[in-house]
Amino acid sequence: MKNNWINQLIATVGLVMLLTDGIAQRFLSESEVIAMALKNSAAFQRADLQVKQNQYLQRTGFNLPNPEVIAESPTGEFYAVGVLQSLEFPSVYIKQRQLNKQVTRLSEMQKEISRQDVVRLVRSLYLDVQFGEALYKHLQRQDSLYDAIASSADRQFEAGTIDFLAKTFAHTQAGEINNQLAQTREEYGAVMRQLNLYTGFRDSIKTAPLARITDDSIEPDFDSSIVRTNPSIQYFEQMKNVNAKTLEVERNKALPGLVFGYLNQGSKSTDTYYRFRVGFTVPLWFWQYSGNIKAARTGVEIAAQESKAQQMSLSADMVQVYADLRKFGQSLEYYERRGLKQTDDIVSSARRFFESGQLDYVSYLRNINEAYLIKARYLETLRNYNQAVITLNYLTGKL
């Protein structure tokens, strides 16, 4: 009896430690946790910096080669100083600036992908914390009841009203629940520490109670076209635009360039008008332009195939998610309409029959154990359904 009393005390203290983690606890909504995680995420901040970097690079689209300053003696009598400036065909700079804009847009899409990844991860962790707390409370109530039953079995055995098998079975069931309680607490603590790590929040986070996620935007049937709203698909589509602009730049580089400058090739008395020079560059080494053009064209084709591959992969994931939504949704309907009420009826009826002497310890424990298992499966189904909703929103780019 003393040991059972100590076990109940330990379980109660464990629950307090679970909910407080030994430090101050603060309630945070899911949106608040997400905001903290985005602010603390190195991956998201890196993506944001890449956007800024490419915005700076947009200004380099019209960068010209450095001018050449030349001092030479054309007549052998004096030195003349001149300046030469070469540049690509003007359309090259226009296309280069357009390319830089497309690269910036690509980095913005990469930033959105990073944001979605962080949000998905944090929402899943927040859900796991909700589930862990709900399951722990469920097991803690069961543990208290089973400890009381084990203590009662000890008294009944000492009084000679039950046999050794019934007493041992009661203690075995109590020990099993106590073991599950300890495992759940460890799993809960690990998830909470992960959430603290990603948010940078040091205190224990108090979450909203576990409840079914309702989302009216979920389509009732799978449609493969909805995956096109996923940021990764848009990223690869934008990659095609980047490679297409790269192709335009390489094609324009094969056009003749311009050269102009000022240099006196005559005597000192040469009129200023005749001291200017104008010319053009000849794209004589055509093979190097041809190689770059072919490589850029291949890049467009690669991006198109990557987009198709990603769309196929996401479509396969969507098929599984919709199957999970239907499966877990149907299970929730059963639990919420009949299952949970029936488990309450089983527990109350079993307790009444046990107290009236119509059930022995073994039958009583088996009945209530099945009822508590159903409630635990309900919590797990609820978690799985919510996780499927989170995954669906991630796949459709709605996080």
Side-chain angles (χ1 to χ4, degrees), residues 26-35 126 205-208:
R26 174 182 166 188
F27 173 79
L28 292 175
S29 65
E30 184 182 72
S31 59
E32 290 176 317
V33 172
I34 290 173
Y126 192 89
I205 296 173
K206 173 67 175 177
T207 62

Side-chain angles (χ1 to χ4, degrees), residues 316-326 388-389 391-393 395:
D317 292 339
M318 288 284 289
V319 171
Q320 182 60 53
V321 166
Y322 269 92
D324 290 342
L325 283 173
R326 288 191 294 269
V389 174
T391 302
L392 177 63
N393 288 335
L395 294 175

Side-chain angles (χ1 to χ4, degrees), residues 142-177:
Q142 187 177 0
D143 182 67
S144 298
L145 175 61
Y146 277 42
D147 275 342
I149 293 174
S151 298
S152 176
D154 285 337
R155 291 192 298 270
Q156 295 291 329
F157 178 74
E158 292 173 0
T161 57
I162 64 172
D163 57 21
F164 179 78
L165 176 61
K167 185 191 76 139
T168 303
F169 186 75
H171 278 278
T172 300
Q173 292 297 302
E176 178 64 23
I177 296 303

Side-chain angles (χ1 to χ4, degrees), residues 176-193:
E176 178 64 23
I177 296 303
N178 191 263
N179 181 52
Q180 292 181 26
L181 192 65
Q183 292 180 358
T184 301
R185 183 176 187 277
E186 289 301 320
E187 291 172 358
Y188 175 90
V191 174
M192 179 63 75
R193 286 189 290 272

